[in-house]
Amino acid sequence: MKLAVVLGTRPQLIKWSPMRRALARRDIETFVLDTGQHYDRRLWSDLLEELSIPAPEFNCAVGSATHGAQTGRMLEAIEGVLLEQRPDRVLVFGDTNSTLAGALAAAKLRIPVSHVEAGLRSADRYMPEEINRVLVDRLSDQLFAPTEIAGSRLAEEGIDERSIHVVGDVMLDAVREHCPDAEEARQRVEALCGGALQRPLLFVTVHRAENTEAAPLRRIAHAVAALAADFEVLWPLHPRTEAALAAGEELNALRERIHLLGPCSYLDSLALVRRAQTVITDSGGLQKEAFFLERPTVTLREATEWRELVESGWNRLVPADEGLEGRLREALQRTGDLEHDAGLFGDGRASQRIADHIAAGDVRT
């Protein structure tokens, strides 16, 4: 079997790390197509080196654009590679524009599609990722759901149950493989902070488009700066967030109150989660990584595709509206004594199960 793998973002590269080894053990021939959605060296090429992943065989170099323009360019570029390489199947991850373009290009060419992280829903159609994930699930004939809830949701939507495989979460595989031990995590975090921590640590990330607009980002910056009176705050800046802060007046003021960094390496990020008291983020992946490492999360969004985490109390949704500081403080006070369901996202062998299904050709007929 010849398998095409479409990647484009940092989280997809992290998910690919355990998957590539699992597929190699099944002697499945693969080639990787990088759409270029994430092209900053710190978000992409440095991560390739850190995780010892070979450079993709094909690079579309699409870069930034509006959703329609970016997806359209990806679609054209991916189609050209698929026509040239003629794979037997296409593997896509998650819910990005790269995911949609890869699935749509394959479906138009009648190439079967396998979707990792199928069945996620936020019920928020204003979220571009929600549109992507719904469409990709309809285009796929192998749907790999990370949780029982995701699998049940697919069946409720009328998708053939023979296509649905509840396998667990590949990000749990990656965390278990790469998470530094407690002492290495302490050393990494102290190096990032410039010394030993004197107060509890808050790990903050912000990158979503709706949170990097001027008004919400200003509210987030002011609230986070205020929290620095009681916490050590470490905030690695996504390139989009750094540019937006630099355009306003918040960047220099923040530097005086908190630890601001460029994008963190994956291993540093895991170390920060492990050492943090609480994670404040708008990232989908970081919500789960925090749960895997038994750290509560406050998510700066109105909705999340990982509803299991909200229902269990490990994640609290706090959109970046007026009064953000007070609502963040309230959320931070309600993060203790949580019961951790270690099996909620599987047992850390999702990649192995996915590779087995792909090798066996387990699809509807």
Side-chain angles (χ1 to χ4, degrees):
M1 171 184 286
K2 186 176 184 179
L3 181 70
V5 181
V6 178
L7 306 174
T9 66
R10 172 186 168 102
Q12 289 167 341
L13 200 54
I14 292 168
K15 296 164 195 172
W16 173 233
S17 176
M19 273 304 317
R20 62 180 288 269
R21 280 181 283 277
L23 291 166
R25 287 193 291 270
R26 304 304 180 281
D27 293 323
I28 296 173
E29 179 186 355
T30 63
F31 68 87
V32 177
L33 196 160
D34 168 18
T35 66
Q37 185 169 343
H38 278 180
Y39 50 87
D40 187 287
R41 172 187 57 78
R42 299 166 295 178
L43 294 177
W44 187 260
S45 56
D46 284 358
L47 186 59
L48 284 171
E49 181 177 350
E50 183 178 35
L51 299 183
S52 300
I53 298 174
E57 286 83 356
F58 300 92
N59 190 331
C60 300
V62 169
S64 299
T66 62
H67 284 284
Q70 185 183 64
T71 307
R73 293 169 190 165
M74 289 177 183
L75 179 60
E76 181 179 13
I78 294 168
E79 182 183 60
V81 175
L82 297 183
L83 284 170
E84 174 189 318
Q85 295 296 313
R86 297 292 180 180
D88 300 299
R89 176 170 291 278
V90 171
L91 177 67
V92 296
F93 296 83
D95 51 24
T96 68
N97 289 342
S98 297
T99 313
L100 177 59
L104 187 55
K108 292 280 189 179
L109 295 174
R110 299 186 179 181
I111 302 172
V113 177
S114 300
H115 183 203
V116 176
E117 288 191 338
L120 307 184
R121 300 291 184 268
S122 67
D124 180 3
R125 287 298 180 94
Y126 288 100
M127 183 184 294
E129 293 88 346
E130 182 77 351
I131 304 298
N132 292 345
R133 60 177 72 106
V134 169
L135 293 174
V136 173
D137 282 341
R138 291 293 175 178
L139 294 169
S140 303
D141 74 332
Q142 282 186 332
L143 297 100
F144 298 119
T147 65
E148 293 288 348
I149 291 176
S152 298
R153 187 179 295 120
L154 290 168
E156 291 167 2
E157 292 179 358
I159 291 176
D160 191 325
E161 293 192 24
R162 291 172 294 177
S163 304
I164 303 167
H165 308 284
V166 179
V167 295
D169 197 305
V170 294
M171 289 192 75
L172 176 58
D173 300 16
V175 167
R176 289 191 174 181
E177 181 177 349
H178 296 293
C179 188
D181 62 30
E183 178 57 22
E184 182 185 351
R186 182 190 67 79
Q187 293 176 358
R188 281 179 176 271
V189 172
E190 289 185 359
L192 291 168
C193 292
L197 301 180
Q198 304 302 316
R199 295 170 297 177
L201 176 67
L202 293 183
F203 178 34
V204 179
T205 76
V206 177
H207 76 282
R208 296 180 64 83
E210 61 268 31
N211 281 335
T212 53
E213 294 177 359
L217 186 57
R218 188 179 307 113
R219 287 192 287 267
I220 292 169
H222 288 169
V224 168
L227 293 174
D230 304 302
F231 298 90
E232 298 279 357
V233 180
L234 198 150
W235 184 352
L237 294 178
H238 186 281
R240 172 196 291 155
T241 311
E242 185 174 17
L245 284 170
E249 301 177 355
E250 288 80 21
L251 191 56
N252 288 334
L254 276 175
R255 291 192 191 282
E256 297 174 0
R257 305 289 302 276
I258 70 176
H259 304 282
L260 282 181
L261 305 174
C264 273
S265 74
Y266 177 54
L267 297 184
D268 283 345
S269 177
L270 290 179
L272 282 162
V273 173
R274 184 162 192 163
R275 288 283 291 168
Q277 174 178 294
T278 305
V279 174
I280 299 176
T281 188
D282 58 8
S283 162
L286 197 54
Q287 296 172 43
K288 289 185 299 172
E289 289 168 343
F291 176 78
F292 299 154
L293 296 173
E294 299 187 41
R295 296 297 181 268
T297 303
V298 179
T299 297
L300 299 168
R301 288 159 54 175
E302 294 184 355
T304 178
E305 59 276 23
W306 301 107
R307 298 188 192 180
E308 298 92 337
L309 299 180
V310 176
E311 293 168 2
S312 67
W314 283 87
N315 189 8
R316 297 190 180 277
L317 298 174
V318 179
D321 299 330
E322 296 294 340
L324 177 60
E325 179 191 343
R327 286 182 289 111
L328 282 178
R329 289 189 179 278
E330 179 184 2
L332 290 172
Q333 291 172 359
R334 299 167 61 192
T335 55
D337 300 323
L338 295 168
E339 184 176 346
H340 190 262
D341 182 355
L344 186 60
F345 291 89
D347 58 4
R349 294 195 290 269
S351 302
Q352 173 183 320
R353 294 189 183 91
I354 293 169
D356 288 344
H357 285 300
I358 291 175
D362 294 336
V363 297
R364 61 176 179 262
T365 57

